[in-house]
Amino acid sequence: GRPQEFARAAPHALRSLLITMQMLAKNTDYDVSMESTHHGPTNLDIPSVYAEIGSDEPQWEDYVPGEIVANAIMSLDLGEVPVALGFGGGHYAPRQSKLLFETDITFGHNFPSYQLPHINKEMIKVAFEKSDADFVYFDRKSMSARERERIGKIVEELGYEVLREGDIREMNGIPWEFCKQVRSKADEFCPGGRAKLTNSMKSEIKMLNLPCRGCNCPKVKAAKIDRELLQEAETVDKDRVRAFLDSHNIAYLERSNGTIAHVIFSIDDECARAVVQDLTNECIKILKGQYEIEYIPDENILYIIDNKFNPELARELGVPSGPMFGELASGKSVTVNENTITPEMVYQSNRKAITLTNTINF
């Protein structure tokens, strides 16, 4: 082939061949793997892919791999799945192969790590076109930070995005057009955040039996919960908040620091609003278990009252530092010089007001 040119890839044929060969080679001594782009011909106008037997004459003369490759070719299935443009790895691409085998994606062209310094914007643009790719995957551990940053910037300039392995596994089995919608909404409300589709939502989308690419997917609807209320509840019991979200037919956003953003997504407006209302009430229940709560309905203001032990107040009443401080802090009374000191006498109340936009059941 000609330098810096690419043949038109056949990503769906590649996926079919690899999956079938892996299945047929299960009880043999042969491994099955994807290779990175490394030779031509580059002037073919139709999509092409190699199915090779490695790596020397004994293997070429062995009828077992020959039969496996032949059967894989004869049973070719061109069912469409999202296509990634790959970067990183060596001559073989083990991480990309693993993703292809374990998720509903495939790969077009893949550039090994040793070729990355020679890859420029125009080549990446052509590779997208020749692969009909939807997004990019980096084998991050095999790439330098400098190359990840450089290529990532080019990918963004071309209007595509880099998906991590977790992102790919999260969207497994979900139509790509729907995933793009959710990811776009996530970036709108929480740049850098990650959308988490609950199992219920995944099941609902899969039941629609939509094609992986090019489908007219249902529109994603967004609804917001009060940001401060969610933050306070998450501080008290993050696991309970997450368990509530995971039990509903929605998607929610997780920030890069692991906290939950104040937006939820659904494919139904009414469902989105109902979940936000229920989540609001769940947050109130969580806070009631930790704090004293006051609610002013006319103003829709919630007061969180945190009563904390104040050592200075205790000292002023003659309580010595030590075990008695612990008793008072745990809500027990103590006796000092025949005087009973109750927790209420040494507690200080801190009030925090949250103005709500959603109504609550109180």
Side-chain angles (χ1 to χ4, degrees):
R2 291 188 288 267
Q4 298 189 337
E5 291 188 9
F6 306 105
R8 189 168 295 281
H12 305 294
L14 170 73
R15 175 180 169 82
S16 176
L17 289 170
L18 286 172
I19 288 176
T20 303
M21 287 193 293
Q22 186 196 49
M23 179 183 67
L24 296 176
K26 188 170 293 184
N27 296 317
T28 71
D29 295 329
Y30 288 91
D31 294 324
V32 178
S33 179
M34 183 181 100
E35 288 188 354
S36 296
T37 302
H38 60 283
H39 63 70
T42 58
N43 60 347
L44 296 177
D45 292 329
I46 59 174
S48 60
V49 60
Y50 282 85
E52 300 180 341
I53 301 170
S55 55
D56 214 333
E57 286 190 20
Q59 287 77 41
W60 300 339
E61 295 174 355
D62 186 351
Y63 77 92
V64 173
E67 188 173 26
I68 289 172
V69 172
N71 283 326
I73 293 171
M74 294 301 293
S75 58
L76 204 63
D77 179 1
L78 299 182
E80 291 209 347
V81 295
V83 179
L85 195 65
F87 292 84
H91 179 78
Y92 298 101
R95 288 183 178 273
Q96 288 86 331
S97 298
K98 183 176 174 66
L99 277 174
L100 186 151
F101 288 135
E102 296 179 357
T103 70
D104 292 336
I105 71 161
T106 188
F107 283 86
H109 285 290
N110 188 81
F111 301 104
S113 298
Y114 61 85
Q115 290 286 7
L116 297 185
H118 310 294
I119 302 297
N120 57 39
K121 183 175 181 178
E122 182 59 29
M123 294 172 68
I124 294 174
K125 179 182 178 182
V126 173
F128 265 109
E129 295 169 355
K130 293 294 182 74
S131 300
D132 192 20
D134 299 299
F135 61 92
V136 162
Y137 168 75
F138 286 167
D139 179 354
R140 303 180 69 85
K141 291 185 178 180
S142 72
M143 299 172 64
S144 68
R146 180 180 178 182
E147 288 296 354
R148 290 200 303 267
E149 183 178 356
R150 181 182 74 86
I151 295 172
K153 184 177 180 181
I154 292 173
V155 170
E156 184 178 357
E157 289 172 354
L158 292 173
Y160 296 92
E161 60 180 332
V162 178
L163 298 190
R164 290 175 175 264
E165 180 175 338
D167 298 321
I168 293 170
R169 293 188 182 278
E170 180 68 26
M171 73 179 194
N172 192 38
I174 305 299
W176 173 241
E177 297 302 324
F178 185 78
C179 291
K180 283 201 298 184
Q181 273 197 72
V182 174
R183 293 184 63 80
S184 176
K185 287 285 188 182
D187 194 54
E188 176 185 342
F189 289 103
C190 183
R194 178 175 294 182
K196 307 286 287 185
L197 277 68
T198 64
N199 289 333
S200 295
M201 173 170 260
K202 288 180 180 180
S203 296
E204 181 176 10
I205 296 299
K206 289 176 182 178
M207 285 176 62
L208 297 176
N209 200 27
L210 299 168
C212 279
R213 302 170 86 205
C215 65
N216 186 19
C217 289
K219 298 298 182 184
V220 176
K221 313 296 183 182
K224 298 179 183 179
I225 184 174
D226 295 289
R227 188 194 305 263
E228 278 190 279
L229 179 65
L230 179 61
Q231 288 175 345
E232 292 290 342
E234 194 177 4
T235 299
V236 173
D237 196 338
K238 179 180 178 179
D239 291 341
R240 183 170 167 182
V241 173
R242 191 178 293 273
F244 176 91
L245 293 169
D246 286 335
S247 68
H248 287 74
N249 185 12
I250 58 166
Y252 60 93
L253 298 180
E254 190 178 78
R255 297 187 184 90
S256 56
N257 63 4
T259 60
I260 298 168
H262 66 296
V263 183
I264 63 100
F265 301 128
S266 176
I267 59 174
D268 179 80
D269 268 326
E270 187 175 337
C271 173
R273 289 192 296 268
V275 171
V276 163
Q277 185 64 62
D278 290 345
L279 178 57
T280 298
N281 293 326
E282 182 70 9
C283 288
I284 298 296
K285 292 177 184 177
I286 291 172
L287 294 175
K288 280 183 175 180
Q290 181 76 15
Y291 306 114
E292 183 182 339
I293 301 294
E294 288 183 9
Y295 178 53
I296 312 300
D298 293 342
E299 301 175 11
N300 208 24
I301 294 179
L302 187 78
Y303 287 96
I304 300 174
I305 304 165
D306 187 12
N307 297 312
K308 287 187 175 181
F309 170 66
N310 187 324
E312 291 304 318
L313 291 177
R315 290 190 184 97
E316 290 174 5
L317 294 173
V319 180
S321 301
M324 286 189 179
F325 272 23
E327 294 286 313
L328 289 166
S330 64
K332 298 177 182 178
S333 299
V334 298
T335 301
V336 178
N337 298 326
E338 299 183 354
N339 294 319
T340 299
I341 310 298
T342 65
E344 291 76 16
M345 297 167 67
V346 294
Y347 272 50
Q348 183 174 358
S349 293
N350 297 312
R351 293 168 64 89
K352 180 175 183 178
I354 299 177
T355 301
L356 304 175
T357 55
N358 299 296
T359 58
I360 65 173
N361 296 328
F362 194 82

